[in-house]
Amino acid sequence: MRVDYITGNTAIAEAAIVAGLKFYAGYPITPSSDIFEYLARELPKHGGHVIQFEDEIASINAVIGASWACAKAMTATSGPGFSLMLEAISLAVITETPLVIAYVMRTGPSTGVPTRAGQYDVLQATYGFHGGLVIPVLAASTPQEAYDLTVKAFNVSEMLRTPVVLLTDATIAHTYGKVIMRERGELEIIERIRPLTPPDKYKPYEPVKEHVPAMACFGDGYNVLVESLTHDERGYYAPRTDVQRKLMWRLYRKIVDSAPKLFDYSAIGLEGCDYAFISYGSTALSAQVAAKMLREKGYRVGTLKLRTLYPIYEDGIRKLVSSAKKVFVIENNVGLYYRELRAILRDKEVVSVPIIDLDLPQPQEIVEVVKQWL
Amino acid sequence: MAVAHPLDKYLRTDRIPTMWCPGCGLGIVMGTLLRAVDRRIKEGSLKRENVGFAGGIGCTARMTLYPLFDSAHVIHGRAIPFALAVKIVKPEMKMIVVGGDGDLAAIGGNHILHAIRRNADLLVVMVNNMIYGMTGGQVAPTTPRGLYTTTTPYGNPEREMNMIKLTAALGANYVARGSITHPQLLEQYLYKALGKRGLAFVEVISTCPELFGRHIGFRSPVDLYMEIRKRIVIKAKPSIEESDYSWEKGFVIGEFVDRDEPGFTDTIYEYLNKIRGGGVQ
Amino acid sequence: MGVRGLSQLRIAANKYFINIIPDRCKECGLCIAVCPTKVLGRGSERNLRGFRYVVALNPEKCIGCRNCEYNCPDFAIFIEVGAK
């Protein structure tokens, strides 16, 4: 175990190395580039490769290739780069390729303010790719969380054979904080299931555990098929409704059914509260301060900071805020994740508190907006 | 006593016949490529489990569906970064990228450019049928000027893209152009390319009997095949300049570049060993 | 051992055997066109997919050049050298 004072971006890079990262492909983009630079310096010492590709499209496709050579692989990017990666994320979903994307959000749309933060891409992170499925999205609000959730992102990606997005923003990326870094023996590290059957019996897309198939890699002698077309368990193209249904539901279920297992949050004062603040990422820091200010004025306000944004554990969230009469969803965007929460908290009033700020939303501003509703 | 087809051992025979139209050149390319791989395996310079295929989208990329090897059928234009990453992680692999002119020269153009610049250890086989076959016969960057396609109904006003010149200019270790009308010669190029380090690029002039041939007046696969064969010029040591083609001029086939510069994989492992050995801090 | 589940014609031809796998043939005619000695011809019988598969009309003329084998896009024909 080590303790250091590092930024969110450095925390991600450090955690990735501990998680067993062996291949990083990337393209420079603010505010994610220092993850790339740090790994370029450190990862080779651990026997891993860091390659700068010609664009984000090449980077994510290389990450997919590396994962099929059985290396733990990741990339880091921001909004414009993630948009370019979307087609390949869809490929990673249908081919069930474990990989991690550190998504350091910046102000948008388009070039926006590249050096400053926002939470505009929270929906894009899971709904952006075509094909109508969901990928796990974890959200960090501090360097320590960035560290812990990076390890978790790799574990989830290996366990479920899926791309996982680790969401942070420009504020977390470049804020220094105390981070406790655990060594390999002190952490749970999950590895993908490898085939137990001989090559002639192996089917690359036959689930062996909770919807998840075992993964053979290039060079293992298993004649694996990485197939972007709708495929049966052998990986053979099958343009049939029964095959499509089976595949879609399995890919959907393996993520959605894992929601309770993946659920991660921190709650302050939710028990017996009248009002609940729900937030995530850097904005959660402001929301917690705002809640404290209101509690000091006598309001019973609790906060729920979500570290798992997708898949949404509906029962878990409902239970946590069950005593609240009103739920406020505080975000640094026009009110996006609010839509998700409104859909699952149908029995109570859910209020969107969208505060657009290039830095952390000021707690005082949150208090002023919320007070109109108390 | 019947014997199996000599290439059956390398095929997912339960998927044959292929999805390609009757007389499509792609089956010839695949057979020829597998024969070249077979020669390498037989002579012991290549291990079967170390041969991998990757292709993007298009009729050519579907070639990844049939060989009984590790194989990836990924997204349009992106087979090169996929294959390159496999090669970097597992340098013992011999990665073969198969793609059409649309897959590799148009949408995947950026990746081939940089793969060659790196001298990435890949065999890239670009099958040039001068058309977008799978989507219904639209113009490709390689379509000869003046020819009719579904998106150039008045004739193609654009210049043909010469991938030989491009790959040679950027420093590939091996650049050759073959034709499905001369498969024995093509096998020689592919065999040689499989033995190269760095990037080997083999363009194969091929036929799309349904969507290219019919559109320009050749009614059967044989007619188009014979027409292309007439327009092929075999040269022992062609110059790069001679690689420019047009429908009128025809297509020069041969080996345009053959050099032996260090490949990308060797170089990065050299660096890696230095770093891990403490040579670089 | 032949191709699993598919019938196979093995025609003695001079010093060779011409092997034809009818159900793989797509009737494209390339093998017929590239044969230098006109051994092959279009058949009249149809295979599983309705193609009139290739037949060896003049097997005795086969010189074992394997042009048919190399130019068949469908792995439907190959030449075996016979035991002397």
Side-chain angles (χ1 to χ4, degrees):
Chain A
M1 194 181 94
R2 290 174 295 144
V3 181
D4 206 349
Y5 202 63
I6 56 176
T7 64
N9 274 354
T10 307
I12 290 170
E14 281 281 355
I17 294 170
V18 173
L21 178 70
K22 284 287 173 281
F23 186 91
Y24 180 98
Y27 187 81
I29 185 168
T30 303
S32 76
S33 298
D34 32 342
I35 298 174
F36 192 174
E37 290 163 353
Y38 192 91
L39 286 169
R41 197 172 63 237
E42 296 303 321
L43 193 60
K45 297 177 190 167
H46 300 267
H49 302 281
V50 178
I51 316 271
Q52 182 171 325
F53 273 84
E54 50 273 17
D55 55 24
E56 284 90 348
I57 300 172
S59 303
I60 185 73
N61 283 283
V63 166
I64 294 171
S67 189
W68 276 99
C70 267
K72 284 191 182 177
M74 80 175 287
T75 186
T77 190
S78 191
F82 194 82
S83 293
L84 285 175
M85 293 181 181
L86 286 169
E87 188 195 8
I89 292 172
S90 199
L91 170 70
V93 167
I94 199 171
T95 56
E96 302 179 69
T97 310
L99 59 91
V100 172
I101 304 167
Y103 189 160
V104 187
M105 286 185 289
R106 65 191 220 187
T107 305
S110 193
T111 313
V113 186
T115 55
R116 308 287 278 280
Q119 297 182 309
Y120 310 131
D121 305 337
V122 59
L123 297 183
Q124 192 206 20
T126 202
Y127 296 132
F129 67 87
H130 62 282
L133 291 166
V134 180
I135 55 174
V137 179
L138 311 176
S141 65
T142 63
Q144 180 70 61
E145 284 186 356
Y147 186 89
D148 297 339
L149 291 178
T150 300
V151 175
K152 181 170 174 151
F154 276 99
N155 283 346
V156 171
S157 76
E158 294 282 319
M159 182 175 74
L160 298 179
R161 273 188 65 176
T162 177
V164 174
V165 173
L166 171 69
L167 206 56
T168 71
D169 63 43
T171 300
I172 307 156
H174 298 127
T175 301
Y176 281 82
K178 188 179 113 176
V179 178
I180 299 167
M181 289 176 276
R182 298 184 194 282
E183 310 296 332
R184 233 180 127 83
E186 304 166 331
L187 284 162
E188 190 198 15
I189 301 289
I190 297 172
E191 309 285 344
R192 64 191 70 171
I193 308 168
R194 303 301 306 273
L196 295 168
T197 44
D200 57 321
K201 297 266 185 318
Y202 173 69
K203 290 180 186 165
Y205 302 97
E206 178 184 44
V208 295
K209 194 186 168 197
E210 290 161 12
H211 306 301
V212 183
M215 189 164 176
C217 299
F218 269 59
D220 286 354
Y222 274 74
N223 299 322
V224 293
L225 280 175
V226 180
E227 182 53 89
S228 63
L229 290 158
T230 288
H231 47 259
D232 61 17
E233 291 175 341
R234 296 170 299 172
Y236 283 18
Y237 176 44
R240 301 200 313 263
T241 297
D242 62 324
V243 175
Q244 178 68 12
R245 277 191 186 168
K246 202 171 163 192
L247 180 65
M248 279 299 279
W249 285 119
R250 185 170 66 74
L251 294 177
Y252 179 72
R253 283 275 152 236
K254 79 169 180 179
I255 305 299
V256 172
D257 289 356
S258 307
K261 214 188 304 180
L262 268 50
F263 192 45
D264 196 349
Y265 65 93
S266 67
I268 300 170
L270 282 178
E271 260 176 65
C273 71
D274 295 327
Y275 308 104
F277 285 4
I278 302 184
S279 55
Y280 54 89
S282 62
T283 305
L285 303 174
S286 305
Q288 283 172 347
V289 176
K292 194 165 169 246
M293 288 161 75
L294 284 165
R295 275 199 297 272
E296 281 162 6
K297 286 183 181 150
Y299 297 102
R300 302 198 328 157
V301 182
T303 56
L304 172 59
K305 174 167 76 178
L306 293 173
R307 282 194 280 262
T308 307
L309 297 181
Y310 296 97
I312 300 176
Y313 182 31
E314 300 184 8
D315 290 345
I317 293 174
R318 268 192 222 117
K319 205 176 283 173
L320 281 164
V321 300
S322 57
S323 83
K325 292 183 299 226
K326 278 184 191 169
V327 171
F328 296 89
V329 184
I330 302 159
E331 306 172 80
N332 191 347
N333 55 38
V334 296
L336 299 172
Y337 201 69
Y338 155 73
R339 299 177 202 171
E340 303 280 20
L341 294 171
R342 187 184 53 185
I344 63 168
L345 301 170
R346 285 179 293 266
D347 58 330
K348 43 182 107 250
E349 195 170 353
V350 183
V351 182
S352 178
V353 185
I355 296 179
I356 289 172
D357 200 314
L358 293 180
D359 299 303
L360 284 182
Q362 292 298 308
Q364 190 57 45
E365 193 177 350
I366 296 172
V367 169
E368 276 161 28
V369 175
V370 168
K371 264 184 109 172
Q372 306 164 37
W373 298 82
L374 301 180
Chain B
M1 183 63 188
V3 295
H5 190 286
L7 293 176
D8 275 6
K9 58 181 184 281
Y10 296 128
L11 290 169
R12 299 180 193 269
T13 49
D14 53 348
R15 304 185 89 172
I16 306 291
T18 63
M19 48 80 67
W20 299 313
C21 305
C24 174
L26 284 165
I28 303 175
V29 181
M30 183 162 81
T32 306
L33 181 54
L34 291 175
R35 276 182 201 100
V37 169
D38 185 43
R39 269 177 73 185
R40 286 282 171 195
I41 290 174
K42 274 188 182 146
E43 71 180 25
S45 60
L46 206 55
K47 280 195 189 140
R48 180 170 183 165
E49 66 271 25
N50 290 344
V51 177
F53 287 81
I57 295 297
C59 290
T60 308
R62 289 280 175 106
M63 205 184 284
T64 55
L65 272 61
Y66 307 110
L68 190 55
F69 294 92
D70 291 331
S71 197
H73 180 227
V74 294
I75 53 176
H76 202 16
R78 318 302 173 197
I80 284 178
F82 180 101
L84 178 52
V86 171
K87 177 70 185 174
I88 291 168
V89 174
K90 290 199 166 172
E92 68 275 18
M93 293 293 291
K94 170 60 74 178
M95 292 301 294
I96 302 167
V97 174
V98 286
D101 37 332
D103 204 25
L104 290 168
I107 190 168
N110 198 21
H111 309 308
I112 198 162
L113 215 98
H114 289 277
I116 302 163
R117 172 181 66 79
R118 295 182 172 108
N119 209 12
D121 302 80
L122 300 171
L123 165 56
V124 179
V125 181
M126 189 190 87
V127 181
N128 182 0
N129 59 9
M130 299 170 268
I131 202 86
Y132 279 73
M134 182 161 274
T135 47
Q138 297 84 1
V139 72
T142 45
T143 306
R145 198 189 332 214
L147 293 195
Y148 298 99
T149 75
T150 57
T151 47
T152 54
Y154 307 107
N156 175 25
E158 299 184 21
R159 285 201 292 189
E160 323 69 13
M161 184 168 189
N162 178 355
M163 289 296 284
I164 298 290
K165 229 177 200 173
L166 180 94
T167 48
L170 286 168
N173 263 358
Y174 184 75
V175 179
R177 181 190 279 148
S179 166
I180 59 143
T181 56
H182 298 74
Q184 291 91 339
L185 197 55
L186 176 62
E187 186 191 313
Q188 300 303 316
Y189 303 155
L190 291 170
Y191 169 79
K192 200 157 166 188
L194 281 165
K196 300 296 291 189
R197 61 176 178 173
L199 196 135
F201 179 82
V202 179
E203 176 182 358
V204 186
I205 302 297
S206 186
T207 55
C208 177
E210 289 299 322
L211 294 155
F212 181 76
R214 278 182 199 278
H215 232 82
I216 55 172
F218 301 101
R219 298 189 51 176
S220 81
V222 171
D223 290 350
L224 179 60
Y225 180 100
M226 290 305 174
E227 185 64 31
I228 297 274
R229 193 158 85 170
K230 261 197 317 221
R231 292 171 194 267
I232 295 288
V233 184
I234 304 168
K235 291 225 167 160
K237 283 259 176 262
S239 72
I240 306 291
E241 281 307 314
E242 286 175 296
S243 65
D244 278 339
Y245 68 76
S246 69
W247 193 246
E248 296 72 29
K249 220 163 50 175
F251 310 86
V252 171
I253 66 171
E255 296 173 286
F256 293 91
V257 173
D258 188 0
R259 51 192 161 204
D260 187 37
E261 291 181 11
F264 185 50
T265 320
D266 286 349
T267 314
I268 59 175
Y269 272 89
E270 205 176 287
Y271 273 70
L272 198 64
N273 290 336
K274 251 190 251 170
I275 297 163
R276 297 201 80 183
V280 178
Q281 271 306 325
Chain C
M1 203 183 65
V3 179
R4 200 160 22 122
L6 293 181
S7 65
Q8 188 169 333
L9 305 172
R10 187 165 183 256
I11 303 128
N14 200 3
K15 286 182 283 183
Y16 310 98
F17 290 100
I18 303 168
N19 286 271
I20 296 170
I21 308 161
D23 286 329
R24 285 184 175 177
C25 180
K26 291 180 187 162
E27 202 189 327
C28 70
L30 286 180
C31 56
I32 301 168
V34 298
C35 177
T37 53
K38 300 196 177 356
V39 171
L40 304 167
R42 205 173 284 271
S44 53
E45 300 218 0
R46 291 182 188 271
N47 68 12
L48 268 176
R49 288 173 175 76
F51 292 114
R52 285 168 300 180
Y53 57 87
V54 64
V55 292
L57 295 177
N58 309 298
E60 71 289 350
K61 288 189 180 168
C62 178
I63 54 166
C65 72
R66 308 174 93 148
N67 253 349
C68 54
E69 183 179 331
Y70 266 84
N71 283 281
C72 173
D74 292 291
F75 311 94
I77 188 166
F78 63 98
I79 303 299
E80 238 182 293
V81 180
K84 250 310 190 76

